[in-house]
Amino acid sequence: VAVAVHNARLYEEIVREKRRTDTILMETFTGIVVVDQRMRILVVNPGAAAITGYPSQELIGRSLPDILGRDPGPQRSLLYKAILEGERLPPTEARFRAKSGVRDILFGVAPLNGLYVLSFTDITRLKEVDRLKTNIVTNVSHELRTPLASIKAYTELLLDDVAGESTTARRHFLSVIQQKADRLSDLISDLLDLARLES
C-alpha cells in the first residue's frame, strides 16, 4: 500500500510538472520547435507557428528544411553542428522564407536526449527599424551639411569683406545665414521629436 501511495504521488507530481512545462512552452512568445535527428518536426509551440506563418498541425511531421528553406544558411549549419557535436549552440542571426515572407530571426539550438530544441525569436521589425535609423542618419547628415556649407561660405565672404561697404550685399549674406541657421534649427527639432517619439 505504501509503495502504491508513493507511486501515485510521484505520478501526480510528474503530471503537474508536465502541465507546467506545457504551459510555459505554449505561452512563450519565442518560437520553439523540437526535431529528431532526421530533422522531422515533433513539437511546435504557437510562437513558432506565428513566426513561420504555418499552423502547428501543418508543421508537425514535416522536415525542418522544408520550412526554413533548403538553401544552406546559418540556421542549418547551426543545426548540423549541434547534431554532430551534441552541444548547445548560442543564438545567431539568420534569415528564412516564412509563409508570410522573409523573416529575420535570432536562432539557437540545444540538444536534448537525442532530440534538438530550436528556439527562434522574430527580429524582423528590429532589423527594419535599424535599417530605417541608418537611412535617417545618412539623410540627416546630408541635410545638415548643406546649410552648414552655405553658412560657412557666406560667413567667409563677410569676413573677407568681399561686399566692401555695400549694405545691401551684407544684408543679403546675413539673410542667407539666418535662413540656413533656421533650417538647421528645424532639423535638430525634428531629430529631438524623433527621439521623443522613440522613447
Side-chain angles (χ1 to χ4, degrees):
V1 172
V3 170
V5 168
H6 179 68
N7 286 344
R9 284 186 183 148
L10 283 176
Y11 178 76
E12 285 177 19
E13 193 175 315
I14 289 169
V15 168
R16 266 197 311 273
E17 188 59 37
K18 185 181 181 320
R19 280 190 198 132
R20 189 179 318 150
T21 305
D22 286 348
T23 302
I24 291 168
L25 180 67
M26 292 304 145
E27 295 302 322
T28 184
F29 291 111
T30 300
I32 296 175
V33 173
V34 178
V35 297
D36 62 15
Q37 292 187 341
R38 293 181 305 144
M39 290 199 215
R40 295 271 166 218
I41 298 171
L42 305 175
V43 177
V44 177
N45 77 336
I51 292 169
T52 61
Y54 295 95
S56 298
Q57 311 88 294
E58 205 175 309
L59 290 171
I60 292 175
R62 287 184 67 183
S63 170
L64 186 67
D66 289 344
I67 306 302
L68 297 182
R70 293 204 169 268
D71 55 321
Q75 63 268 35
R76 289 191 63 204
S77 54
L78 265 177
L79 186 55
Y80 288 131
K81 193 172 177 188
I83 289 171
L84 289 172
E85 297 176 5
E87 292 179 12
R88 180 184 179 279
L89 295 168
T92 302
E93 284 187 25
R95 295 188 99 188
F96 79 97
R97 187 168 297 282
K99 196 173 185 178
S100 56
V102 176
R103 314 297 285 170
D104 291 297
I105 57 171
L106 202 55
F107 181 88
V109 182
L112 177 70
N113 301 328
L115 302 175
Y116 300 90
V117 178
L118 287 62
S119 61
F120 44 98
T121 305
D122 189 351
I123 56 170
T124 307
R125 285 188 181 180
L126 293 174
K127 296 292 277 184
E128 185 59 32
V129 166
D130 197 38
R131 284 188 282 270
L132 286 172
K133 277 184 179 179
T134 303
N135 289 343
I136 287 171
V137 168
T138 304
N139 290 338
V140 165
S141 299
H142 177 71
E143 289 292 323
L144 288 172
R145 278 196 185 113
T146 307
L148 273 176
S150 296
I151 289 171
K152 190 172 180 197
Y154 280 103
T155 305
E156 284 172 0
L157 286 173
L158 283 171
L159 288 172
D160 290 344
D161 203 26
V162 169
E165 295 298 318
S166 169
T167 350
T168 314
R170 283 182 185 276
R171 198 168 273 148
H172 171 71
F173 292 166
L174 289 169
S175 168
V176 170
I177 290 171
Q178 185 177 18
Q179 287 171 4
K180 300 301 178 182
D182 288 344
R183 176 74 183 124
L184 281 175
S185 179
D186 290 343
L187 283 169
I188 291 164
S189 294
D190 289 346
L191 285 174
L192 291 172
D193 289 343
L194 273 174
R196 276 194 291 273
L197 283 171
E198 188 178 24
S199 65

